Amino acid sequence: MAKKKEEKVSSKSKSSSKDKKDKKRKVQESPAGDSPKKKRAKKEDEPQEHIWKWWEEEALEAGIKWRTLEHKGPMLAPEYVRLPKHVKFFYDGKPMDLSEATEEVAGFYARMLEHEYTSMEQFNKNFFKDWKKEMTSHERDVITDLKKCDFRRIAEYYKDESEKRKAMTKEEKQALKAEAEAIQNEYGFCVVDGHKQKIANFRVEPPGLFRGRGQHPKMGKLKKRIRAEDIIINIGKGAQVPKPPKGKWKEVRHDNTVSWLASWTENIMGNVKYVMLNPSSKAKSMKDYQKYEKARELKDHVDKIRKNYSEDFSAREMAIRQRAVALYFIDRLALRAGNEKDEEQADTVGCCSLRLEHLKLSVEHHDEDLNSSQQSIIDNNNSINGDSPLKKVKLESGVQNNDQQSPSKDGQSSPSKNKRYMVEFDFLGKDSIRYQNKVAVEKKVYKNLILFMEGKSPQDDLFDRLTTAVLNKYLNECMDGLTAKVFRTYNASKTLQDELDKRTVPKMTLEEKMLAYNRANRAVAVLCNHQRAPPKTHDKQMENLESKISDKEKALKEAKKEFKKAKKDKDDKNKEKFKKRVATLENQLHKLEIQRKDKSENKTIALGTSKLNYLDPRITIAWCKRYDVPIEKVYNKTQREKFLWAIEMATPDYRF
DNA sequence: AAACTGACTTAGAATCCAGGGC
DNA sequence: GCCCTGGATTCTAAGTCAGTTT
């Protein structure tokens, strides 16, 4: 199947690039194909009418993002529709009519009533304060206590509405779908340098209550409605400027050094928000490609860089030692750079912003025992070219690096003592995701950490002489364009490549190959600490699987019995029959068991983020081609669109 | 050199929806 | 044919990092 796609996209024709008007349509791909158009009613086939083979074109000059740009502007959020008269808000037990603005904001809160946000003090405090600002002076006089507010009727109303939507007839749903499609076609695309490109987010964010992650000081604040007057349109000089549905744009500009189509400033954090292109677009794809090329470039420099920072562990200047140790963490543990943050944001950290309270040091005295080194860093570091990232040590909760960990055999150790210098990290990182990891580090690193901590309090910065700017400036001297985040990309992709090499054997079944792939992917997700809340249904899902498995086991047992019986009876016909059945059942059971492993190992690990942002897609595609795994097995439609450039470029022997 | 601003990538949760099992 | 589950998609917050301003 992967074949078909290849042909469609294939660019063997050197002539290339002028095939702009390439009208070739999926529908007529194979006149011989015996499935004419019976699938009409089905979802329209992949709409690749035209593929922009930008990789065969000459690049635009540095800093220029486009030559021409046309679009219809963003779609504004629908106007607020008032509640029916009978849907009442109650204050202190009594129904109360609200002004339009007050009612709208009440509705935002009502819709979140089920959510635990509404039980958080900070959220309620912020909400109430902002809500009051929307009230008339009369309302403000009456409504003085959030606890006396009863939003339940409003919440019910919205719930009913969404139930109604779900219960609509087929025709109604169809109509709605058609409408959505029309909107997508109208606003969802733009034209860049003559090529139609999909837009990622053509709808401006609707008003609502701000939901920060973690302990966000601004949670619950009112996110204001964005009007045309707030929006800057960026568009080609010659292009027709879209008309706002109401009012005027804040500004129309023609800046081809940026890639966004529209922008506005959001009122909570004061950040600029942008309308940008979809990942499948040339602009995004090319950046993606360059990102991985940059990471590959690091391969040629990383040995030197590691040697340098190891030497810098003993530098005279404290700032340099700090830089070295921070870099060591970034490199070996795939930590993020860690910019400073202010009090207006959740308290989270990355490498450079670590505080003393985020790490604990300890020395462990181990009997000489090579087995126990399975997850320590030491073996990596002590060997001259230990070049794989440090693995996590299992802490209380984590789902860890799965199968083949040979349990270390205690006891048979020699009496010689072996000191291990341990650092235990525990901090909240991006999105307030907890990073917990205990690793053995080099002695020099350990001694430096003690030095950096001397005379400080827990809330003080570990690296007080270091900022991300300083670090990145240094990195840029090591290699052109090198920054802290390149290490994450590099280590992630390298890990995938190594793990796939290690885990795949040609004779594996497709399912086994997929398990191997997922495990390789998982190793990366663990490295990068990509977590997710365990799906609410996880336990039930596991139960379901278990019962399927035990059913299958029963059936298998039964079949085996029958087989034996037939054999004894010399009943050749049945013998054959049950032999076959046993084989299929065994096969099915095996698949189920693989599924079980996969699912349970995935409980709290999110594979998507690394797949989408850290793993050079060419590694995956080459693996697919080499081991005859259909690309559809690893990448869904959206992902195939995003990685089209890689599908096109990667040969079976591609290596990161 | 610190603070600020802007542009862009990376992130997990929420919501949507299709297709497999009954 | 209907319902439920789980993957796909959407959403937007939260990072990184460079350039500019103070």
Side-chain angles (χ1 to χ4, degrees):
Chain A
M1 286 125 221
K3 228 14 198 286
K4 206 176 279 170
K5 177 137 274 162
E6 251 179 286
E7 277 157 17
K8 217 174 11 176
V9 173
S10 173
S11 62
K12 296 297 112 79
S13 53
K14 279 272 132 62
S15 53
S16 74
S17 80
K18 12 201 81 106
D19 53 4
K20 276 175 73 151
K21 295 290 130 63
D22 183 2
K23 275 280 132 66
K24 101 169 112 168
R25 310 220 2 247
K26 169 78 194 246
V27 188
Q28 59 211 50
E29 76 197 313
S30 57
D34 40 4
S35 56
K37 38 173 39 196
K38 61 172 178 194
K39 292 267 153 75
R40 264 303 275 115
K42 271 223 126 182
K43 215 186 146 58
E44 78 284 23
D45 278 341
E46 304 164 36
Q48 6 219 286
E49 322 165 324
H50 129 140
I51 293 156
W52 184 1
K53 294 173 186 160
W54 51 263
W55 50 87
E56 293 173 358
E57 291 180 0
E58 214 171 301
L60 294 173
E61 57 262 57
I64 302 302
K65 305 296 170 74
W66 45 265
R67 297 225 169 285
T68 67
L69 174 62
E70 304 163 39
H71 61 86
K72 296 289 180 62
M75 211 175 108
L76 294 164
E79 294 291 332
Y80 177 64
V81 181
R82 294 215 62 163
L83 295 171
K85 278 278 171 272
H86 67 273
V87 180
K88 294 285 188 208
F89 165 78
F90 288 79
Y91 187 74
D92 207 8
K94 292 184 279 292
M96 177 175 176
D97 288 327
L98 300 177
S99 65
E100 176 160 340
T102 307
E103 178 189 289
E104 182 180 10
V105 178
F108 297 152
Y109 191 90
R111 272 180 280 198
M112 290 181 73
L113 235 39
E114 306 266 89
H115 203 286
E116 63 167 317
Y117 269 122
T118 55
S119 63
M120 300 165 87
E121 197 191 324
Q122 186 71 250
F123 187 91
N124 288 332
K125 205 178 116 220
N126 288 335
F127 162 72
F128 199 50
K129 190 170 160 211
D130 278 7
W131 188 29
K132 281 186 144 185
K133 290 184 206 156
E134 301 298 311
M135 292 178 189
T136 63
S137 58
H138 169 67
E139 287 165 340
R140 209 163 16 239
D141 286 344
V142 177
I143 303 172
T144 54
D145 183 359
L146 183 57
K147 289 197 198 71
K148 293 183 179 164
C149 296
D150 181 355
F151 301 95
R152 282 177 298 180
R153 293 300 171 73
I154 305 178
E156 246 166 61
Y157 170 75
Y158 283 119
K159 204 168 192 181
D160 286 353
E161 288 294 291
S162 80
E163 301 280 283
K164 264 191 233 163
R165 226 167 303 130
K166 273 182 226 153
M168 281 186 308
T169 67
K170 224 178 237 157
E171 291 74 36
E172 289 170 314
K173 280 186 181 168
Q174 200 94 68
L176 228 52
K177 208 174 158 186
E179 205 177 309
E181 210 178 302
I183 290 174
Q184 168 72 32
N185 287 334
E186 165 89 3
Y187 291 96
F189 296 90
C190 64
V191 182
V192 181
D193 295 346
H195 299 269
K196 189 170 166 186
Q197 300 274 280
K198 199 168 177 190
I199 298 170
N201 57 324
F202 60 86
R203 287 171 219 271
V204 305
E205 296 170 16
L209 303 183
F210 177 76
R211 302 147 92 114
R213 312 278 183 111
Q215 293 300 336
H216 197 115
K218 299 201 173 185
M219 63 166 82
K221 283 181 68 61
L222 175 62
K223 195 165 98 165
K224 295 257 179 71
R225 176 179 296 274
I226 303 298
R227 300 150 299 131
E229 285 76 9
D230 304 313
I231 297 175
I232 302 172
I233 297 290
N234 191 35
I235 198 161
K237 263 223 172 79
Q240 180 168 32
V241 177
K243 238 199 158 70
K246 220 169 115 189
K248 287 165 51 181
W249 302 119
K250 180 181 183 185
E251 183 192 335
V252 175
R253 63 173 77 156
H254 313 283
D255 182 355
N256 74 349
T257 68
V258 294
S259 70
W260 51 267
L261 315 184
S263 73
W264 67 91
T265 302
E266 144 275 323
N267 67 299
I268 305 286
M269 308 297 292
N271 291 327
V272 185
K273 299 273 186 151
Y274 303 93
V275 171
M276 288 194 185
L277 296 179
N278 183 272
S280 62
S281 65
K282 174 201 172 184
K284 295 291 183 187
S285 300
M286 203 157 86
K287 281 304 268 311
D288 213 31
Y289 166 69
Q290 287 163 352
K291 173 180 74 183
Y292 292 114
E293 287 305 290
K294 187 55 74 181
R296 294 175 84 203
E297 199 183 327
L298 178 53
K299 280 192 306 183
D300 302 328
H301 295 80
V302 75
D303 288 345
K304 185 80 199 303
I305 291 170
R306 287 172 177 165
K307 186 165 159 285
N308 286 346
Y309 71 59
S310 296
E311 284 168 14
D312 286 344
F313 291 157
S314 316
R316 269 190 311 279
E317 238 181 289
M318 204 49 55
I320 292 181
R321 286 199 195 193
Q322 292 193 355
R323 191 183 71 198
V325 172
L327 192 45
Y328 172 83
F329 287 160
I330 284 168
D331 181 24
R332 317 314 302 221
L333 299 171
L335 299 191
R336 296 188 184 82
N339 286 316
E340 295 103 302
K341 302 180 73 185
D342 55 43
E343 292 75 62
E344 310 287 85
Q345 301 162 68
D347 178 21
T348 64
V349 298
C351 185
C352 295
S353 49
L354 281 168
R355 302 190 294 263
L356 303 206
E357 58 190 329
H358 297 131
L359 35 158
K360 272 200 238 128
L361 308 185
S362 60
V363 180
E364 292 180 359
H365 298 271
H366 275 246
D367 289 345
E368 197 71 56
D369 178 3
L370 292 180
N371 289 323
S372 71
S373 69
Q374 30 169 352
Q375 308 206 299
S376 102
I377 290 178
I378 287 278
D379 35 282
N380 291 314
N381 302 317
N382 281 357
S383 65
I384 306 150
N385 325 295
D387 59 357
S388 51
L390 309 178
K391 286 204 183 141
K392 292 198 167 185
V393 171
K394 185 164 194 150
L395 292 181
E396 51 270 45
S397 65
V399 174
Q400 234 29 249
N401 247 16
N402 49 65
D403 55 343
Q404 77 251 86
Q405 301 171 354
S406 50
S408 61
K409 311 248 178 344
D410 296 326
Q412 35 131 282
S413 51
S414 77
S416 79
K417 291 284 185 180
N418 189 11
K419 280 189 187 177
R420 300 215 297 162
Y421 298 91
M422 306 302 291
V423 181
E424 186 173 346
F425 294 85
D426 190 347
F427 60 88
L428 297 183
K430 181 175 179 180
D431 293 314
S432 293
I433 296 293
R434 189 172 178 189
Y435 181 93
Q436 274 181 289
N437 194 8
K438 188 173 183 181
V439 291
V441 301
E442 278 179 47
K443 184 174 177 183
K444 278 185 181 168
V445 168
Y446 189 88
K447 296 289 177 195
N448 273 319
L449 289 172
I450 289 179
L451 210 57
F452 304 158
M453 290 175 154
E454 254 169 24
K456 291 187 192 165
S457 346
Q459 290 83 356
D460 290 336
D461 286 343
L462 176 67
F463 301 118
D464 53 307
R465 310 282 176 88
L466 188 68
T467 63
T468 53
V470 169
L471 179 64
N472 281 332
K473 193 161 161 274
Y474 168 74
L475 289 175
N476 195 247
E477 287 162 14
C478 299
M479 180 188 115
D480 185 51
L482 185 62
T483 62
K485 85 200 240 317
V486 178
F487 282 87
R488 283 194 118 211
T489 313
Y490 164 78
N491 278 130
S493 285
K494 171 136 196 329
T495 300
L496 180 73
Q497 178 87 71
D498 292 349
E499 292 285 319
L500 285 178
D501 287 352
K502 202 162 67 191
R503 319 183 90 105
T504 332
V505 180
K507 66 165 200 246
M508 287 175 156
T509 65
L510 185 58
E511 285 76 21
E512 288 166 339
K513 285 177 194 165
M514 284 312 296
L515 181 64
Y517 182 84
N518 286 337
R519 284 184 159 166
N521 192 164
R522 200 140 51 226
V524 176
V526 168
L527 174 71
C528 295
N529 201 40
H530 290 144
Q531 298 190 31
R532 60 168 184 179
K536 291 226 160 55
T537 53
H538 177 85
D539 288 352
K540 204 175 92 206
Q541 284 177 35
M542 286 308 286
E543 263 170 44
N544 290 160
L545 248 183
E546 290 300 346
S547 74
K548 266 192 200 169
I549 286 175
S550 71
D551 286 356
K552 203 59 86 180
E553 278 168 340
K554 255 181 242 156
L556 180 62
K557 212 164 167 186
E558 202 56 40
K560 276 181 175 165
K561 210 192 283 171
E562 292 287 348
F563 171 64
K564 237 179 235 164
K565 184 159 165 283
K567 210 158 68 174
K568 207 169 89 189
D569 298 350
K570 302 256 190 289
D571 179 351
D572 283 349
K573 199 169 133 220
N574 266 335
K575 195 176 129 187
E576 270 319 297
K577 179 175 151 197
F578 285 109
K579 188 174 170 187
K580 253 193 209 147
R581 178 169 303 171
V582 168
T584 10
L585 286 173
E586 271 175 345
N587 200 359
Q588 289 170 340
L589 180 63
H590 184 55
K591 281 188 196 175
L592 285 172
E593 284 167 345
I594 287 178
Q595 256 186 56
R596 172 171 63 182
K597 269 187 206 166
D598 220 18
K599 192 180 277 296
S600 88
E601 287 171 13
N602 251 0
K603 182 175 177 184
T604 59
I605 299 179
L607 300 188
T609 302
S610 50
K611 200 174 190 177
L612 247 40
N613 301 300
Y614 287 102
L615 301 176
D616 182 347
R618 291 167 297 182
I619 300 168
T620 297
I621 290 154
W623 177 83
C624 283
K625 289 178 178 170
R626 202 158 356 125
Y627 295 104
D628 214 25
V629 174
I631 290 179
E632 296 72 34
K633 280 276 170 189
V634 279
Y635 289 145
N636 67 29
K637 181 160 155 281
T638 316
Q639 293 166 160
R640 292 197 301 275
E641 279 167 17
K642 165 165 177 162
F643 296 134
L644 191 56
W645 61 271
I647 293 175
E648 179 72 356
M649 285 181 193
T651 55
D653 59 333
Y654 174 84
R655 312 227 80 221
F656 176 73

